[in-house]
Amino acid sequence: MTLAEQSFADQLEKGAAGVEWRPTGEPSFVCALRAAGRDTFLRTKLPTLKHEDWRYTSLAGLAAQHFGPAARALVPAADLPPAPRLVFVNGRFAPGATDLSGLPTGVRMGSLALALRERPAAVEPFMGQVATARDHAFGALNTGLFEDGALVELEDGVPCAVTLHLVFLTTASGALFAAHPRNLVVVGKGARATLVESYRGAGAYLVNAVTEMALGEGAQVEHDRVQEDGQQAFHLGLLQVSQGARSRFTGQSIALGGQLARVEARVLLGAEGAACDLHGLYVGGGKQVLDHLVYIDHASPRCVSREVFKGVLDGASRGVFAGRVHVREGAQKTDASQVNSNLLLSEDATVDTKPQLEILNDDVKCSHGGTVGQIREDQLFYLRSRGVSEALARAMLTWAFASDMVQRVGPEELRVRVRRAVTGRLANGELLREVA
Amino acid sequence: MLSIQGLKASVAERDILHGLDLEVRAGEVHAIMGPNGSGKSTLAGVLAGRETYAVTAGKVTFEGEDLLALTPEKRAVRGVFLAFQYPVEIPGVGNMYFLRTAFNALRRARGEEELDAMDFLALARERMKLVKMDPSFANRSVNEGFSGGEKKRNEILQMAVLEPKLAILDEVDSGLDIDALRVVADGVNALRSPERAMIVVTHYQRLLDYIRPDHVHVMANGRIVTSGGPELALELEKRGYGWIEKEPPARPAAVEARP
Amino acid sequence: MTQEATLRELTEGKYKYGFVTEVETDQVPKGLSEDVIRTISQKKGEPEWMLDWRLKAYRHWLGLGMAEPTWPNVRYPRIDYQDIVYYSAPKPKAKLGSMDEVDPEMKMAFAKLGIPLAEQQRLAGVAVDAVFDSVSVATTFKEKLAEKGVVFCSFSEAVKNHPDLVKKYLGSVVPYTDNFFATLNSAVFSDGSFAYIPKGVRCPMELSTYFRINAQDTGQFERTLIVADEGAYVSYLEGCTAPVRDTNQLHAAVVELVALPGAQIKYSTVQNWYPGDADGKGGIYNFVTKRGKALERSKISWTQVETGSAITWKYPSCILQGDDSVGEFYSVALTNNRQQADTGTKMIHVGKRTRSTIISKGISAGRGQNTYRGLVKVLKGAVGARNYSQCDSLLIGDRCGAHTFPYIEVKNPTAQVEHEATTSKIGEDQLFYCRQRGIAEEDAVSMIVNGFARQVLKELPMEFAVEAQKLLGMSLEGSVG
């Protein structure tokens, strides 16, 4: 076993014995889930390059570390998003920084751990039922070790107009630790919501987040996931969405931080007429590894999926994209498209991409595409011939490539923040102040 | 030649034709006009045997034979030709190869000798002049990358080569500018003959300035609501379709004409 | 061919190469051991170095512990490697002096396959090496080729007569350690074709090998090596068939191509091994390793039409070693009934300004499963590398599957790699359009499928293209209506 595996195994065993960090008074279904998570992780351990889903992303750096349980910490100074917001620090609920003012009727949000104690019946039908990826090491680890996270519930038919913010702050301190936030979002029939998950932090640590989201019939959700963890951090995120009939899910994933950041979006189009529209942008520099895995399970007829993921890679960074569209038998009239484009800006930047289709049905319209390229010389020359400096021209063209992904971010104040964060990471991005 | 009685048809369980009657004799040109959604294209599709339409009632006989019992290709070899409103593209299949295959399928069904590639090309070249088609069309894939006008001309070329007994022209004028329209109409007129009947489906009277019909029928809500001579088309041009829909004539002429 | 005949073939023509030829054979007993390998080597009168190479491969294979690759998207029962005959040769009636002395049974067998072995009957411009089970039985036009210095012979002859060339290039592209099946082939390969085109020579005719599996329970393990010296050009065709048998047979071939600077090799395959019956009984397991190495300014072009075999596992690849070298892969793979195909290519860009093109057309019908698997890898030094890939799938019927698994790995920022793929079912509108013009449904399907595959078929030499077109139609028999 690697050092990391050993440290996780120890915590899992202690958790099972009901000592240390383990929240008391958990309902029996959670105990059962935790036990299953522990068993799965102890069996699978950390995936290696031999695992098809991890073929391009080595966990050797992570595996060589010892991760303790997350330390308690004060809320760090941070510009928090407007209310209503839930704030978590190192995986623990931070009531002081949380502000639920303006939360419309029919919408509930709060600590998952609290809800598990006070009204477990609301959680039981969903928790662990959405995140069903088999033998998923990090999902299992999260289930075994999570302390808290957000529970967001929308009653049937609620058109929630305000943006709901979930903020996960992590502050490194002394020994390396891992936080495992666990979120559950339940959206009732015909309800509408905009939900933002923000991950921020500084220093070296591991965040292993799982978000389960269940959309009722006709529900509409826009979900923005913005990852700005510390440059030395490991970030692992699993977003698992289960969609009801005619529901609509729009997801944006912006990945900026971490020495190794992997986000998985797994969407089950489980009932007729569901549609999802996923976008992503990863902007890498230094020695970052930014990895996205997107799995769309077309299990019902007349569902639509769209995917556009873009990567901008500078320095010695690596971009990884693995997309898989799986059209099951009986999922007639499936309409799926998948595109992954990458821009390589430096000698040492690399990209690995595998946009895949798996189709077991004939009445489908599916397409996918992947490109890898660089800034076009003719465009660069055109701008320069009009008097734009080469540095600015490069920054402009890079921004032009990435900006449509940023524009997808719905809430205005978040879009501004993301725009600033993205341009801030581009070489000579400060020159872009006017264009951006 | 063609007799349609009480034809009802639906698409995806939605009724489109609500009992349509029509008699067409050899040598006649019938225009079928009507507003969008009146069922004109459905009628064309049903006659050609498109499987998305379900015939729920009625009879169609073609030269005494039950047309509805035949597969699309059998109808074609009997001499029923549909010029498509939206001719489909078939990538990789050569235009001439396609046409020769169709041509020889028809010849074979009639017990005639098939033409080899050279003889066929000579025939096709000659017919291509009729629709002023550039010989380079022969080398392209069926309708692939053709402009709207080119596609329509290609339909008329196919008609000229296949020499059907009954030609159904489904909105051959849609999307054409005036020059292209004239070329298409000239082609159609050149193919008029005492042995051949035509059903010209159109939304606009304009086409009928070039292709003079013997009879004009107006469709609304899946029926022929009035019939007359070429003058009916002019009246429609003047008064629009609203007139038909608001005050449908009490007894449609076509029904009276029924034996 | 008249339309009527085509139609008859479409409606009645099951697998038409399914006959068995009764010939006396010289077989080694079933099973694999060092002794069997020594026997094969001895029967072929091989020199010591060849036997040593085989034994090294065999020992390496034993070390792999029967671990067949599990990553392909195909399912089949475990193969018992001790239940296979590794060498089966038709007994020559007498020592062959000329083509006239070829066993008449054999001649008849190949004539039935449309491959007359008598040179005067042969279509001008194609030289044929005919391989029957484990051995080459005849090679035509040898003398004519020799005038230009072109060597075209069976692999066994090459080992005897051109040992230096064989020693230099054997295993230079596909080493015996490459993969499970290539290793097995290296140990037991029995025959195959060898071609060498000298510097600056444009091979005056198409070279062709026709592979035929005849005997029961035998595996076919042929090995082909083609070397085009500087500035040379060669077009090589390969065809394959096997009798109808209700047990599965293993075919594990290795093909190595070496294109020296400025050379061009065009390699075309029409693979029509017996696919098994409609219920998936019988058929060939076609597990093949094909790879070419391209040096400066050379070009390797693979074209394949895969309609046969119960299972196909095949990735004709190019290592674009030299600067400005070019790799191409054009493929049509059709699976009907219970056939499974996992096929594609690897384009490894090593040299500067290397270019590659991949056009793959997969057609799935019945319960067929068709997988495209491809790798485009641009190494650090491959400045200015370009790749364009297009993978289209056509589905006929709702019980088949089409899968596209591209892998793109780019380690050089000046590379441009583009991958596009589409999957759709055969268009109802297209079918109706054809039928409205009087073309019967089966013919219309065949026509549309051939149109879909045209981009690839046009890369085939004329004669092969016609055969391939017919094959596509025939292989789809019973898939509509």
Side-chain angles (χ1 to χ4, degrees):
Chain A
M1 259 202 269
T2 64
L3 202 51
E5 283 164 350
Q6 191 61 58
S7 61
F8 292 136
D10 289 349
Q11 288 174 62
L12 287 163
E13 296 297 348
K14 278 181 195 155
V19 291
E20 292 232 338
W21 54 270
R22 171 81 176 278
T24 50
E26 277 187 349
S28 58
F29 79 89
V30 177
C31 298
L33 283 174
R34 288 194 189 273
R38 178 198 61 204
D39 293 347
T40 300
F41 183 81
L42 294 179
R43 181 164 40 80
T44 62
K45 312 238 174 44
L46 292 177
T48 64
L49 296 179
K50 284 194 185 132
H51 195 299
E52 179 63 28
D53 285 350
W54 290 88
R55 176 186 179 102
Y56 293 125
T57 299
S58 167
L59 290 170
L62 186 154
Q65 308 289 338
H66 179 281
F67 294 97
R72 284 191 188 283
L74 296 171
V75 180
D79 52 335
L80 293 171
R85 62 167 185 260
L86 282 175
V87 180
F88 297 83
V89 179
N90 293 4
R92 288 192 176 85
F93 185 45
T98 292
D99 181 349
L100 293 181
S101 54
L103 198 64
T105 42
V107 184
R108 271 178 110 146
M109 69 196 237
S111 148
L112 177 69
L114 194 66
L116 282 176
R117 281 200 296 276
E118 292 176 353
R119 42 189 195 94
V123 180
E124 185 168 5
F126 301 102
M127 192 168 173
Q129 304 303 307
V130 181
T132 50
R134 281 232 322 293
D135 292 345
H136 194 286
F138 288 104
L141 187 62
N142 176 289
T143 305
L145 296 178
F146 76 86
E147 284 182 69
D148 207 344
L151 172 65
V152 180
E153 298 159 278
L154 277 90
E155 286 172 16
D156 289 354
V158 172
C160 180
V162 295
T163 300
L164 309 174
H165 285 276
L166 312 180
V167 185
F168 301 89
L169 305 173
T170 315
T171 51
S173 65
L176 207 52
F177 67 83
H180 307 272
R182 175 71 170 227
N183 307 307
L184 175 63
V185 180
V186 181
V187 184
K189 284 183 194 166
R192 287 207 304 270
T194 300
L195 188 75
V196 178
E197 272 181 62
S198 303
Y199 293 86
R200 300 180 203 163
Y205 52 83
L206 165 67
V207 177
N208 173 33
V210 172
T211 300
E212 292 183 274
M213 204 179 288
L215 272 62
E217 200 179 305
Q220 290 184 30
V221 171
E222 185 192 321
H223 178 253
D224 298 292
R225 191 183 197 284
V226 182
Q227 186 271 105
E228 296 174 89
D229 270 312
Q231 292 300 305
Q232 292 312 309
F234 298 97
H235 178 101
L236 293 147
L238 170 62
L239 168 67
Q240 196 127 17
V241 182
S242 169
Q243 292 194 236
R246 290 174 301 287
S247 65
R248 195 159 296 275
F249 177 78
T250 309
Q252 276 72 237
S253 170
I254 308 286
L256 304 173
Q259 61 162 299
L260 185 156
R262 150 93 156 205
V263 178
E264 295 187 13
R266 294 173 179 267
V267 179
L268 170 66
L269 299 169
E272 194 150 346
C276 71
D277 199 344
L278 305 179
H279 296 85
L281 174 67
Y282 39 101
V283 182
K287 290 191 166 185
Q288 279 184 290
V289 177
L290 299 177
D291 178 341
H292 272 94
L293 180 146
V294 183
Y295 172 63
I296 312 269
D297 189 349
H298 277 268
S300 298
R302 274 171 275 280
C303 292
V304 180
S305 68
R306 297 278 175 269
E307 285 170 61
V308 181
F309 281 78
K310 288 189 174 185
V312 176
L313 301 153
D314 207 340
S317 68
R318 280 172 64 98
V320 178
F321 176 81
R324 194 157 140 239
V325 172
H326 185 179
V327 180
R328 291 183 190 264
E329 278 179 70
Q332 300 290 348
K333 309 271 179 213
T334 289
D335 181 352
S337 80
Q338 184 188 42
V339 179
N340 173 237
S341 312
N342 295 281
L343 196 57
L344 291 182
L345 296 177
S346 83
E347 271 306 279
D348 298 317
T350 64
V351 67
D352 297 300
T353 172
K354 43 171 197 168
Q356 311 199 324
L357 295 172
E358 195 168 349
I359 294 162
L360 291 161
N361 184 331
D362 75 327
D363 197 358
V364 298
K365 206 170 77 193
C366 297
S367 66
H368 67 178
T371 61
V372 179
Q374 51 282 192
I375 289 174
R376 278 174 49 184
E377 285 302 322
D378 55 344
Q379 293 176 342
L380 194 63
F381 178 74
Y382 186 79
L383 287 176
R384 294 174 69 191
S385 74
R386 294 292 176 269
V388 179
S389 74
E390 183 176 349
L392 176 56
R394 280 187 188 279
M396 278 169 75
L397 292 170
T398 306
W399 172 247
F401 173 83
S403 61
D404 56 337
M405 293 296 101
V406 176
Q407 296 311 330
R408 292 268 175 186
V409 173
E412 169 74 23
E413 80 281 356
L414 184 68
R415 191 164 57 240
V416 171
R417 183 189 164 87
V418 168
R419 193 185 294 165
R420 221 178 280 137
V422 169
T423 54
R425 294 179 59 76
L426 301 182
N428 298 305
E430 66 284 356
L431 300 175
L432 281 173
R433 220 159 281 143
E434 281 160 56
V435 249
Chain B
M1 178 183 275
L2 179 75
S3 170
I4 306 175
Q5 292 166 18
L7 183 65
K8 293 185 183 179
S10 61
V11 180
E13 290 169 30
R14 197 164 56 91
D15 295 331
I16 309 277
L17 298 183
H18 294 101
L20 185 138
D21 304 277
L22 184 66
E23 292 290 331
V24 178
R25 281 172 278 272
E28 292 178 348
V29 174
H30 290 246
I32 296 193
M33 304 185 67
N36 291 330
S38 60
K40 306 187 299 288
S41 286
T42 301
L43 174 63
V46 167
L47 292 178
R50 196 182 266 273
E51 278 147 2
T52 43
Y53 300 118
V55 174
T56 51
K59 249 176 82 177
V60 180
T61 53
F62 179 68
E63 298 199 305
E65 194 176 10
D66 178 5
L67 190 68
L68 299 178
L70 301 177
T71 60
E73 55 270 36
K74 289 247 169 69
R75 298 181 201 203
V77 299
R78 298 287 195 283
V80 177
F81 177 91
L82 172 64
F84 286 68
Q85 183 180 2
Y86 304 108
V88 63
E89 302 188 358
I90 311 180
V93 175
N95 217 12
M96 274 307 115
Y97 172 66
F98 171 76
L99 195 45
R100 180 160 55 89
T101 307
F103 180 79
N104 280 333
L106 265 55
R107 303 266 297 200
R108 202 168 58 231
R110 294 179 194 137
E112 293 166 7
E113 194 152 326
E114 297 178 21
L115 283 194
D116 67 20
M118 290 316 290
D119 290 345
F120 178 77
L121 194 61
L123 171 86
R125 284 241 167 89
E126 178 217 312
R127 302 289 153 93
M128 281 166 82
K129 288 184 204 144
L130 194 68
V131 284
K132 300 194 168 56
M133 214 174 203
D134 191 275
S136 69
F137 277 97
N139 306 324
R140 291 163 62 179
S141 291
V142 178
N143 291 322
E144 197 185 28
F146 284 27
S147 71
E150 287 168 344
K151 281 184 182 171
K152 295 300 168 77
R153 275 194 276 167
N154 198 23
E155 293 294 288
I156 305 306
L157 168 67
Q158 292 181 17
M159 175 166 114
V161 169
L162 301 177
E163 301 181 316
K165 289 180 185 154
L166 171 67
I168 304 155
L169 312 179
D170 189 7
E171 310 225 2
V172 282
D173 52 333
S174 68
L176 296 189
D177 64 27
I178 197 73
D179 293 331
L181 181 64
R182 193 167 287 144
V183 172
V184 165
D186 287 350
V188 171
N189 286 327
L191 294 169
R192 283 177 83 149
S193 91
E195 291 81 42
R196 181 170 295 138
M198 293 189 188
I199 297 175
V200 181
V201 173
T202 181
H203 187 81
Y204 300 105
Q205 194 272 334
R206 180 178 79 152
L207 177 68
L208 306 182
D209 289 342
Y210 298 95
I211 304 172
R212 296 285 296 170
D214 303 306
H215 303 275
V216 174
H217 311 276
V218 180
M219 277 185 79
N221 303 317
R223 283 194 185 85
I224 288 177
V225 290
T226 187
S227 299
E231 71 288 347
L232 181 58
L234 293 171
E235 191 169 352
L236 277 174
E237 175 80 352
K238 235 181 335 190
R239 302 180 62 181
Y241 286 114
W243 153 70
I244 299 286
E245 282 164 326
K246 270 188 220 111
E247 33 176 315
R251 288 189 60 87
V255 174
E256 283 166 48
R258 256 172 76 182
Chain C
M1 173 170 300
T2 65
Q3 192 113 27
E4 202 170 345
T6 314
L7 196 72
R8 210 178 313 118
E9 232 171 31
L10 269 171
T11 48
E12 298 161 17
K14 295 252 176 341
Y15 188 72
K16 69 170 190 180
Y17 307 104
F19 62 89
V20 176
T21 308
E22 293 301 331
V23 285
E24 237 190 297
T25 55
D26 172 18
Q27 288 195 347
V28 298
K30 273 184 183 176
L32 187 53
S33 63
E34 283 209 11
D35 284 346
V36 167
I37 290 164
R38 286 178 197 280
T39 310
I40 293 172
S41 187
Q42 195 186 0
K43 278 185 187 295
K44 307 186 79 64
E46 284 177 355
E48 194 66 23
W49 59 267
M50 194 67 251
L51 175 64
D52 286 348
W53 198 75
R54 287 175 180 277
L55 291 173
K56 264 195 287 183
Y58 176 64
R59 284 164 199 150
H60 181 77
W61 187 78
L62 285 180
L64 296 174
M66 302 288 150
E68 289 163 40
T70 52
W71 48 263
N73 191 18
V74 296
R75 306 279 166 272
Y76 57 93
R78 250 196 120 65
I79 297 171
D80 181 354
Y81 290 94
Q82 295 305 335
D83 197 33
I84 293 174
V85 175
Y86 287 86
Y87 183 85
S88 171
K91 264 192 191 146
K93 295 259 157 81
K95 203 169 157 35
L96 294 185
S98 77
M99 205 51 64
D100 301 334
E101 291 170 30
V102 176
D103 185 339
E105 280 289 338
M106 200 71 50
K107 273 195 198 164
M108 206 138 71
F110 278 95
K112 244 168 136 177
L113 297 167
I115 315 289
L117 295 180
E119 287 184 7
Q120 63 275 21
Q121 290 172 17
R122 196 59 204 142
L123 284 152
V126 184
V128 179
D129 183 22
V131 176
F132 193 88
D133 288 335
S134 302
V135 294
S136 167
V137 292
T139 308
T140 61
F141 289 113
K142 263 184 178 164
E143 291 76 16
K144 189 155 181 230
L145 290 167
E147 284 168 24
K148 291 265 189 182
V150 174
V151 178
F152 182 46
C153 61
S154 74
F155 205 92
S156 313
E157 272 179 80
V159 171
K160 284 197 199 87
N161 303 334
H162 307 277
D164 293 344
L165 284 172
V166 175
K167 259 195 232 174
K168 185 166 176 191
Y169 294 109
L170 175 70
S172 70
V173 187
V174 181
Y176 67 81
T177 52
D178 194 78
N179 69 70
F180 185 86
F181 295 112
T183 303
L184 177 62
N185 173 289
S186 302
V188 302
F189 76 88
S190 39
D191 216 333
S193 299
F194 174 82
Y196 171 79
I197 298 84
K199 260 185 203 175
V201 170
R202 194 181 165 87
C203 188
M205 57 180 73
E206 311 263 6
L207 303 184
S208 165
T209 303
Y210 198 92
F211 294 101
R212 174 76 178 167
I213 297 179
N214 186 61
Q216 191 147 17
D217 301 326
T218 52
Q220 180 146 323
F221 305 91
E222 82 270 2
R223 187 144 193 133
T224 296
L225 173 59
I226 297 173
V227 180
D229 212 328
E230 288 179 33
Y233 168 88
V234 63
S235 168
Y236 177 90
L237 326 169
E238 140 192 274
C240 2
T241 58
V244 171
R245 298 198 185 277
D246 57 11
T247 51
N248 298 107
Q249 276 175 286
L250 178 63
H251 171 250
V254 171
V255 175
E256 294 179 278
L257 308 184
V258 180
L260 294 174
Q264 275 190 47
I265 303 177
K266 188 173 166 63
Y267 192 106
S268 312
T269 305
V270 173
Q271 184 266 105
N272 188 27
W273 295 119
Y274 176 55
D277 68 9
D279 301 320
K281 199 159 192 213
I284 302 291
Y285 292 164
N286 189 36
F287 300 156
V288 172
T289 305
K290 291 183 168 180
R291 195 176 304 148
K293 185 153 72 178
L295 299 185
E296 301 90 270
R297 302 177 317 283
S298 70
K299 175 174 170 180
I300 290 177
S301 179
W302 298 100
T303 304
Q304 60 172 20
V305 175
E306 303 281 318
T307 59
S309 298
I311 299 177
T312 298
W313 178 101
K314 183 180 170 193
Y315 315 91
S317 303
C318 298
I319 301 170
L320 302 171
Q321 186 79 46
D323 293 351
D324 302 292
S325 57
V326 176
E328 294 174 340
F329 174 74
Y330 300 96
S331 169
V332 175
L334 183 151
T335 52
N336 195 2
N337 297 322
R338 301 271 181 168
Q339 281 177 276
Q340 309 172 54
D342 191 312
T343 184
T345 184
K346 291 188 210 173
M347 292 290 174
I348 314 294
H349 292 257
V350 183
K352 297 188 178 79
R353 297 172 302 278
T354 44
R355 282 169 292 147
S356 63
T357 304
I358 299 171
I359 307 287
S360 162
K361 304 278 181 175
I363 300 149
S364 318
R367 289 171 180 272
Q369 295 292 327
N370 207 324
T371 301
Y372 167 81
R373 188 184 301 275
L375 169 67
V376 175
K377 189 170 192 160
V378 178
L379 299 186
K380 189 114 187 100
V383 175
R386 298 279 178 276
N387 162 268
Y388 174 73
S389 306
Q390 187 190 331
C391 304
D392 298 322
S393 305
L394 189 67
L395 295 145
I396 304 171
D398 58 3
R399 291 173 307 171
C400 53
H403 316 291
T404 317
F405 297 146
Y407 294 80
I408 301 167
E409 305 175 9
V410 181
K411 307 235 176 298
N412 185 296
T414 60
Q416 272 181 26
V417 178
E418 242 180 290
H419 173 95
E420 284 178 47
T422 63
T423 302
S424 54
K425 74 168 182 169
I426 197 160
E428 292 294 336
D429 289 349
Q430 292 176 336
L431 269 181
F432 180 66
Y433 191 76
C434 293
R435 294 176 71 192
Q436 208 301 307
R437 296 297 182 254
I439 300 167
E441 192 169 12
E442 292 254 4
D443 290 345
V445 169
S446 170
M447 186 185 259
I448 292 166
V449 165
N450 271 301
F452 173 76
R454 208 181 113 88
Q455 249 179 307
V456 173
L457 297 180
K458 73 179 171 53
E459 296 295 326
L460 286 173
M462 190 60 172
E463 208 190 317
F464 253 38
V466 175
E467 191 188 339
Q469 271 191 24
K470 278 192 283 173
L471 255 181
L472 287 179
M474 263 160 59
S475 306
L476 281 171
E477 187 254 313
S479 65
V480 288

